[in-house]
Structures are given as C-alpha cells and as structure tokens.
Amino acid sequence: QVQLVESGGGLVQAGGSLRLSCAASGRTFSRYVMGWFRQAPGKEREFVATINWSDSRTYYTDSVKGRFTISRDNAKNTVYLQMNSLKPEDTAVYYCAAGLSFPVVRGTEYNYWGQGTQVTVSS
C-alpha cells in the first residue's frame, strides 16, 4: 500500500515557476514508477510525466517537454515536478500516481493516486 500527498500548487503568473512535491508513505516507494497527471476543468485527466524507479529514466508529454522536469528522491520517498515557463493552459489540478510499469501514460495502469494540488497560471 502506498499513500501519496501532493503539495506545492498555487497561483503564478505566466512565465513563472512552481515545484510540486509528492510525498509517499510505504517502504517500497523506491520500487514504484511515479507519474504526474493533470486535469483541467471540463477536460479529461491527461498524462504529464513519469519517472522510472530503477534508473530514473523519464518520459514527458510533448506539451511540457523542455519546461517541466520530473525527479525523485528515494531516500525522502518524494517525487517532484519542477514546472518552468508556465502557461495559462497548464492550469489544472495536478495528481501524482504510483505504478509498476514504465513508461505508462494511461492513468488506469497506475495503482495509487494522491488527492491533487491546484495549479493556476494567470495571463
């Protein structure tokens, strides 16, 4: 069992930066692939980024490549999403998730989810 708690969301102007954190409980955190998803109002949840557990390989959706960076600290049971050059279209609730396969973009293949943190980017 893994419990996930996101933090770090907020209101930022376009072009600004935020760093999201996702703290995980459970001794097997280091064996899970971690992912970030987001859901904007009226839209379906979409994949953002994922990081492998063994070698920290990463994979991003095209719209955030070069702007967002996913990383993990297994000693702290935490995964991060550094978001730079934010755009209004990045506004969404951001969720972290834990799964077993890499790279996976379908949310249904992740086993555990956090409650989400709101990111709002003003123009």
Side-chain angles (χ1 to χ4, degrees), residues 3-7 21-25 36 96 113-116:
Q3 292 184 328
L4 305 172
V5 179
E6 302 96 334
S7 62
S21 299
C22 174
S25 64
W36 285 98
C96 71
W113 291 83
Q115 84 290 347

Side-chain angles (χ1 to χ4, degrees), residues 22-70:
C22 174
S25 64
R27 293 176 292 177
T28 58
F29 168 79
S30 62
R31 295 298 183 98
Y32 281 91
V33 173
M34 299 301 296
W36 285 98
F37 289 75
R38 65 187 180 186
Q39 187 167 20
K43 295 187 176 181
E44 292 187 353
R45 181 179 61 194
E46 67 169 344
F47 167 80
V48 176
T50 183
I51 185 166
N52 199 16
W53 70 270
S54 58
D55 55 12
S56 292
R57 281 182 295 156
T58 58
Y59 183 78
Y60 299 90
T61 191
D62 285 346
S63 63
V64 307
K65 284 181 181 176
R67 300 190 298 123
F68 291 10
T69 302
I70 188 172

Side-chain angles (χ1 to χ4, degrees), residues 70-82:
I70 188 172
S71 61
R72 66 190 297 161
D73 185 337
N74 289 338
K76 296 183 178 180
N77 281 10
T78 303
V79 63
Y80 304 97
L81 186 67
Q82 177 67 43

Side-chain angles (χ1 to χ4, degrees), residues 2 19 22 38-39 51 62 79 81 86-87 89 91 108 111:
V2 176
R19 188 176 81 155
C22 174
R38 65 187 180 186
Q39 187 167 20
I51 185 166
D62 285 346
V79 63
L81 186 67
L86 282 161
K87 305 175 181 180
E89 51 264 44
T91 295
T108 53
N111 305 90

